[in-house]
Amino acid sequence: MSAPVSPGLRSGSLPLLVALMTLLAGLSLAGLAGVQTLAESWSGAARNATTIEIPSDTPQLADHTHTLVQTLNKTPNVTAVRELSTKEVQTLLAPWLGQVSDSAGLPGLSLPVVLIVAHTGTPDLGTIVHNVLPEAVVEEDRRWGERLNGLGSSLIACAWLAVSLIAAIAVLSVGMTVRRSVMAQRKAVEIVHFLGAGDLTISSRIAGRAALLSLAGGFVGLLLLSPVITMLARKLTPFSHGTPPTDSPANTWDALIAAWWSTLHVLPRILLEELGALPLIAACLGWLTAQTVVLAWLRRLP
Amino acid sequence: MIRLLNVSMMPPGVGQPVLRNLTLSVPQGEFRWLLGPSGAGKSSLLRLLTLETRPSAGQMDLLGVSVSHASRATLRNLRRRIGFVPQDYRLIGEWTVFDNVALPLRLRGASERDTRREAFAVLEWLDVAHLADKRPGALSGGEQQRTAIARALIGRPELLLADEPTNALEDAQARRLLTTFQELIEMGTTVIVATHNEALVREAPAASIILQDGTIANTDIQNGISTRRAERS
């Protein structure tokens, strides 16, 4: 241990506070990652798809549909054109028409032809389609995409607000703990100051301890978070494209950790990186807060 | 060198100054008793001289530095050149005697080896080396006072200030402390000692600053500690 040149920090409940804040921040980040993934997938899916509806009363429906599909397939940036089956159209219209078991549809009501066009760019499909088949209705899913994007952005902003609030509460808690500690050791701090200790000498010792305790609290918080994150990863496994982890019991610690790690790999990499950085962020916030509080307090002394 | 010119001091929240228009000068390497009844302003003057507060009016120069408008960094460096023995000892309770005494040298960035050597030399001289690993709370009043003296002396200060430094010491130890002051003066240190102990003052007659109601009532120049240096040289 280094020789003392200034009083240290009386930690009180600082590590516990930081651990709880880390837990909350981790949960918020996990929520944020989920919302971000959803928003991206919504807007991506909507942005790159267009629905074309050809009314059933269009003359020579089959021929016109065939011509339109050929034209679309030749259009640059169009990656796929798919005609929905009658069953799919029925399913699509089920909320309005109810379930129809008969493949011919409802008596007196014939179903339209529905084409889903996947594309990578933003071709002016409306003009292309109307040149071939003026009766066709082009539903640009981009507008839905924009709305979904807006909703996703709002949810992301809310999640960031939650993370920022947690960080602010953490800073406030560390600040109050440090201030209480300085007040409790006021006499010792004044003695050291009046013997010629520099402000940074005093504040650095307290800030160093605050950083260390915050780091420890951060790791404890991460430990508390790991069951929740593991559970979340297990819930997400069926939606992932990777190989699902085996449920066979692991016999050794290494196997156990490897199984746990493969479970976590379902989560977005950025989330794992953010969670891993939480203790370091907590330590940095603890150090900065303690430095600021102590230096501000020392300015009272001549 | 201490130079005060019309210095007043009014602590915050106090209606009237506790020190008023003090003008005095103490050359480097001189000794002064600081005398006066309780409430006369001795402790306030010592607080000014130890830079615990700044004058509210007037000009104060310490060791060639104008204190009134000095920066924090200047004051910090100046404090390292001043030794102080407070009446209440002001030891850090959580630290050992050794760490308390070593602090001034550590703040100056001295090596741990040099700090250890110097600290044990002064602790042995004051007969408290065997208490080096104890905390101040485990010491008697006299031992705490000797620890505070050791902390003030270890940095070989250019200005030594002491507030009743002998009130918990035995007579022999008090006489030994006076000898130390004499040696410091010979090395060029300015020493100011506030005391109520008339017997001590009689034993070592020297120039005095006598305070009364926050002003200098008298500066009594006598043959004593302050002139012995001249006699010896």
Side-chain angles (χ1 to χ4, degrees):
Chain A
M1 195 180 149
S2 63
V5 286
S6 168
L9 175 72
R10 288 184 182 171
S11 56
S13 53
L14 184 65
L16 182 67
L17 268 172
V18 175
L20 291 176
M21 292 299 158
T22 305
L23 178 64
L24 280 175
L27 291 174
S28 302
L29 285 174
L32 177 63
V35 168
Q36 263 173 337
T37 310
L38 265 181
E40 277 165 21
S41 94
W42 285 346
S43 64
R47 196 168 46 241
N48 298 323
T50 301
T51 308
I52 298 166
E53 187 188 319
I54 306 168
S56 56
D57 55 356
T58 306
Q60 297 171 306
L61 180 64
D63 290 347
H64 278 121
T65 303
H66 181 69
T67 311
L68 182 59
V69 170
Q70 278 188 326
T71 307
L72 288 171
N73 273 328
K74 287 176 193 162
T75 306
N77 295 326
V78 170
T79 52
V81 181
R82 191 168 74 86
E83 183 182 342
L84 295 190
S85 65
T86 308
K87 196 173 169 52
E88 283 175 314
V89 175
Q90 281 174 349
T91 308
L92 204 65
L93 296 174
W96 292 273
L97 304 179
Q99 286 296 340
V100 182
S101 54
D102 182 3
S103 62
L106 285 172
L109 180 69
S110 51
L111 295 173
V113 172
V114 177
L115 302 176
I116 303 291
V117 183
H119 50 80
T120 54
T122 53
D124 188 5
L125 286 181
T127 310
I128 296 166
V129 170
H130 286 135
N131 284 341
V132 178
L133 196 60
E135 295 89 343
V137 178
V138 178
E139 184 69 57
E140 283 283 355
D141 292 355
R142 192 182 301 131
R143 266 174 286 160
W144 278 104
E146 282 165 5
R147 286 174 197 158
L148 288 172
N149 207 18
L151 177 65
S153 300
S154 304
L155 289 172
I156 289 168
C158 286
W160 272 119
L161 186 67
V163 172
S164 307
L165 272 176
I166 291 164
I169 294 169
V171 165
L172 213 63
S173 308
V174 174
M176 282 166 69
T177 304
V178 170
R179 196 179 149 75
R180 265 201 306 272
S181 170
V182 172
M183 291 302 284
Q185 301 183 91
R186 182 188 180 128
K187 202 176 144 191
V189 172
E190 285 180 355
I191 290 170
V192 172
H193 173 79
F194 290 124
L195 281 171
D199 291 355
L200 275 175
T201 306
I202 297 172
S203 63
S204 295
R205 186 170 162 88
I206 294 174
R209 181 98 178 123
L212 206 67
L213 291 171
S214 299
L215 187 71
F219 277 120
V220 172
L222 215 53
L223 214 64
L224 294 174
L225 189 66
S226 58
V228 183
I229 292 297
T230 307
M231 196 180 73
L232 183 71
R234 281 189 184 283
K235 294 274 181 206
L236 281 175
T237 302
F239 301 100
S240 75
H241 302 296
T243 319
T246 52
D247 281 341
S248 57
N251 295 326
T252 62
W253 274 108
D254 285 351
L256 207 67
I257 289 169
W260 177 66
W261 186 241
S262 72
T263 306
L264 285 191
H265 257 111
V266 173
L267 298 172
R269 188 181 169 81
I270 183 76
L271 173 64
L272 292 176
E273 285 172 358
E274 283 170 353
L275 293 179
L278 275 180
L280 289 176
I281 293 169
C284 289
L285 279 180
W287 187 87
L288 265 175
T289 309
Q291 278 282 8
T292 309
V293 169
V294 178
L295 286 175
W297 191 88
L298 286 171
R299 297 302 294 184
R300 299 166 170 201
L301 302 176
Chain B
M1 171 80 173
I2 299 171
R3 195 172 68 86
L4 273 66
L5 189 64
N6 293 322
V7 164
S8 295
M9 179 186 146
M10 188 157 69
V14 179
Q16 55 184 19
V18 291
L19 295 174
R20 281 176 287 128
N21 296 321
L22 296 191
T23 295
L24 67 91
S25 175
V26 182
Q28 195 60 31
E30 291 279 325
F31 181 96
R32 293 288 185 276
W33 290 114
L34 180 57
L35 307 174
S38 295
K42 299 193 294 295
S43 294
S44 297
L45 179 55
L46 286 177
R47 284 189 67 207
L48 266 184
L49 296 176
T50 53
L51 305 173
E52 285 179 39
T53 183
R54 294 201 205 212
S56 40
Q59 175 71 35
M60 182 167 94
D61 294 351
L62 281 186
L63 305 172
V65 176
S66 174
V67 168
S68 304
H69 302 102
S71 67
R72 285 177 75 81
T74 305
L75 289 184
R76 180 196 65 208
N77 291 334
L78 194 53
R79 284 185 184 109
R80 293 180 184 178
R81 298 161 65 191
I82 299 172
F84 181 43
V85 185
Q87 194 172 6
D88 55 0
Y89 320 135
R90 293 189 203 168
L91 300 172
I92 297 175
E94 289 84 358
W95 294 4
T96 63
V97 164
F98 172 80
D99 284 332
N100 269 281
V101 171
L103 181 58
L105 288 190
R106 284 176 174 162
L107 287 175
R108 289 182 197 179
S111 73
E112 203 51 29
R113 196 164 136 249
D114 289 348
T115 301
R116 203 165 178 78
R117 193 186 63 238
E118 293 277 330
F120 272 99
V122 73
L123 284 170
E124 273 166 21
W125 192 86
L126 286 157
D127 207 18
V128 279
H130 62 290
L131 303 171
D133 293 330
K134 293 231 184 311
R135 294 186 194 279
L139 308 184
S140 70
E143 288 164 342
Q144 287 188 45
Q145 188 155 42
R146 278 181 279 158
T147 304
I149 293 168
R151 185 182 60 192
L153 296 179
I154 192 170
R156 299 184 200 285
E158 293 168 58
L159 170 62
L160 179 69
L161 304 158
D163 196 359
E164 304 285 359
T166 59
N167 62 357
L169 300 184
E170 293 166 9
D171 287 349
Q173 289 167 339
R175 275 194 290 277
R176 204 167 170 200
L177 186 61
L178 288 177
T179 310
T180 306
F181 290 159
Q182 178 64 54
E183 287 167 2
L184 286 171
I185 290 162
E186 285 169 7
M187 287 190 287
T189 300
T190 305
V191 180
I192 296 183
V193 178
T195 186
H196 280 109
N197 191 335
E198 290 176 9
L200 193 72
V201 176
R202 275 199 301 276
E203 192 167 319
S208 306
I209 301 161
I210 302 169
L211 288 178
Q212 179 82 46
D213 294 329
T215 56
I216 293 177
N218 193 5
T219 45
D220 179 21
I221 307 294
Q222 301 178 41
N223 287 332
I225 289 181
S226 61
T227 54
R228 281 184 202 161
R229 182 166 62 123
E231 285 168 11
R232 285 190 185 188
S233 62

